[in-house]
């Protein structure tokens, strides 16, 4: 039996999402004008309305995409195309979907908001000069650090800069009210909250709306053209509804398990460095074990049926310290032996106890090679 500790990478689909997907799996093109097309359209409309109600926006502001990555790309490239300053404000700890999107913007001057030792944005002053887009993640995928997004939106808005928020890690974990937040765009991804992989969300204000970066049949306000996957949209809405209804109880339950894991690690293993601190998601625990390397730790854990990640799943396979730890000023020798445990709705006390029983020996073996 495996003990899964990689919920920040993805999680199993919720039964409500599977049921919604199956129920809508026969949906035809929601743009067609005949009866079956209208039926598909009505399922899509219901999904859009549900998402809008839960996330505090209008249905027209909900754009279905193929992933969080696509939503981030559309927002950043599309807002940059609207602008005139050639300036972008971002952070050094963004997911590659944002980081690499920003890096390829033509002729952009990029200013990064600094972060502190625990990856919280610590200085907002770059936001006081107008830019074509300012972008910041709501919570970091590696450390779980929750960012001061309200303040970032406030400061950027004062000088007229549109703001994109990558909410992929927080959707279904923290309450989101898009209008109250005041951001221009926001990205989310269904598979992070128990929906299907392969569908994401971009919330986009009516104005300024990102310019399209792909062209086609004009679906989704022309911002994300292409025939919409109605069944996946319906499953996304069902997963979102259930995950949001469980925020309070799951934050408490998962947070208590995470605290138990952290306390157990600190009391049973020498020389452990914690890389996360409040405000942070209840699901995350990021720790370094100097004298080890992340890949050995993962391999040893895997052989015992424990599935965790080094830094971020998106980078695995490359034994290099993550750019997030680098931005936090963690030294190479400390950061290279890091593990990210992320807990979620199927994590049990027995999973945590099993890790605590195995990890001291795993670290000892990794330190002896
Ligand atoms: N942004 C963040 C913060 C993420 O954690 C991820 C996925 O790990 C993404 C964007 C990309 O989302 P997707 O997997 O849907 O492309």
């Amino acid at each position: 039996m495996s003990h899964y500790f990689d919920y920040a990478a993805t999680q199993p689909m919720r039964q409500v999402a599977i049921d919604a997907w199956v129920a809508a799996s026969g949906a035809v093109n929601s743009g067609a004008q005949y009866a079956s097309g209208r039926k598909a359209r009505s399922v899509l409309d219901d999904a859009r309305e549900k998402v809008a109600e839960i996330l505090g926006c209008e249905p027209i502001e909900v754009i279905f995409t193929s992933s969080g990555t696509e939503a981030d790309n559309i927002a950043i490239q599309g807002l940059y195309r609207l602008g005139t300053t050639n300036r972008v404000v971002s952070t050094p700890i963004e997911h590659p979907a944002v980081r690499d999107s920003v890096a390829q913007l033509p002729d952009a001057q990029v200013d990064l908001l600094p972060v502190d030792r625990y990856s919280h944005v610590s200085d907002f002053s770059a936001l006081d000069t107008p830019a074509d887009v300012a972008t910041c993640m709501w919570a970091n995928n590696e450390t779980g650090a929750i960012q001061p997004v309200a303040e970032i939106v406030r400061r950027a808005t004062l000088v007229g800069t549109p703001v994109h928020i990558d909410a992929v890690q927080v959707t279904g974990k923290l309450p989101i009210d898009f209008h109250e937040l005041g951001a221009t765009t926001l990205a989310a991804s269904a598979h992070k909250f128990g929906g299907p992989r392969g569908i994401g969300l971009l919330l986009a204000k009516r104005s300024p709306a990102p310019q399209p970066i792909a062209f086609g049949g004009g679906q989704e306000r022309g911002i994300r053209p292409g025939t919409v996957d109605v069944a996946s949209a319906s499953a996304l809405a069902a997963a979102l509804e259930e995950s949001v209804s469980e925020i309070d109880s799951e934050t408490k339950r998962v947070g208590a398990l995470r605290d138990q894991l952290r306390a157990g690690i600190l009391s049973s293993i020498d020389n452990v460095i914690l890389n996360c601190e409040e405000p942070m998601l209840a699901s995350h625990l990021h720790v370094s074990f100097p004298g080890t390397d992340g890949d050995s730790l993962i391999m040893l854990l895997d052989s015992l049926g424990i599935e965790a990640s080094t830094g971020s799943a998106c980078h695995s396979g490359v034994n290099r310290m993550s750019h997030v730890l680098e931005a936090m000023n963690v030294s190479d020798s400390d950061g290279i032996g890091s593990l990210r445990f992320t807990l979620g709705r199927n994590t049990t006390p027995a999973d945590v106890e099993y890790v605590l029983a195995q990890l001291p020996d795993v670290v000892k073996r990794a330190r002896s090679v």
Side-chain angles (χ1 to χ4, degrees), residues 8-10 66-72 93-98 137-142 166-170 187-192 197-200 312-314 340:
T10 195
S66 66
S67 59
T69 298
E70 188 187 25
D72 282 330
I93 56 161
E94 297 300 308
H95 186 275
V98 167
M137 60 200 338
W138 196 321
N140 182 262
N141 46 303
E142 296 187 25
D166 176 344
V168 169
Q169 285 294 327
V170 305
S189 175
H191 71 100
K192 306 285 188 185
R197 279 155 285 279
I199 182 157
S312 165
C314 310
R340 178 189 73 173

Side-chain angles (χ1 to χ4, degrees), residues 9 16 23-24 34 38 63 78 108 115 175 219 241 258-259 264 271 274 288:
V16 288
Y34 35 79
R38 289 197 301 276
I63 312 284
V115 298
Q219 294 90 343
E241 186 175 40
R258 190 274 318 272
D259 291 351
N271 194 11
L274 270 183
S288 299

